[in-house]
Amino acid sequence: MSVVKFYRGDPNAPKTTQRAHLGANAIITCKGKLLLEKRRDSDLWGLVGGGVKNYETEEQALIREIYEELGLRISKGQLKKLGVYGEPGRIAAYCDGSIWRMVIVAFGLELEEEPQMTISAESRELRFFSKEELQNIEIVVTHSDIVEDWFLNR
């Protein structure tokens, strides 16, 4: 059962009930392939990352999230800020009734070798995808444009 439904630019999206939510997500690549996680909350593929806590910068939050979700320790200097995705129609609606506008800061992380990773309780699967393989999976709509931009701009 899906715990969350995502919207991007959908006029039928529900109205927000919470303040805007700041998140940080990573475009993690290795040899031209992109790492995605199969999310437990929606059963969709998405970027690694999550919410920024009040005491964190976006970069600190992403370093924490990468450790929590993948078991990888990275340093601040390894991340490259790619952009901010914050248009008003980027919405996450949870089954508890909370509806958030999402503002996502995207960072890039290039790995030389595919790392040994640990799957967190938030994920069902972790996998690196080629651009062609991405055509055959369903990506969280609030991440799909970030993925498209990365492939267009690299």
Side-chain angles (χ1 to χ4, degrees), residues 122-139:
E122 295 178 22
S123 305
R124 294 189 189 281
E125 184 179 348
L126 299 169
R127 185 169 156 212
F128 282 92
F129 290 91
S130 68
K131 182 178 181 179
E132 296 74 29
E133 291 170 319
L134 292 173
Q135 316 265 331
N136 302 319
I137 63 169
E138 191 172 359
I139 298 175

Side-chain angles (χ1 to χ4, degrees), residues 24-113:
N25 289 93
I27 295 281
I28 300 174
T29 57
C30 182
K31 299 177 183 171
K33 291 188 172 188
L34 174 65
L35 177 67
L36 295 176
E37 65 172 341
K38 184 120 186 212
R39 299 171 57 113
R40 286 192 188 277
D41 63 4
S42 63
D43 221 26
L44 300 171
W45 290 94
L47 298 169
V48 171
V52 177
K53 296 181 180 179
N54 288 337
Y55 58 86
E56 295 176 313
T57 66
E58 297 92 352
E59 195 169 28
Q60 290 168 334
L62 191 53
I63 289 169
R64 175 184 49 77
E65 288 285 348
I66 289 171
Y67 179 71
E68 290 174 0
E69 294 181 20
L70 307 176
L72 298 180
R73 292 206 181 271
I74 62 159
S75 63
K76 185 177 178 181
Q78 290 179 270
L79 294 172
K80 178 184 176 190
K81 188 173 181 179
L82 302 175
V84 177
Y85 294 78
E87 68 277 5
R90 194 176 294 274
I91 304 289
Y94 291 87
C95 65
D96 68 0
S98 62
I99 303 168
W100 303 81
R101 173 185 171 190
M102 299 169 66
V103 177
I104 298 172
V105 181
F107 289 86
L109 173 63
E110 176 68 30
L111 302 173
E112 291 184 21
E113 296 295 324

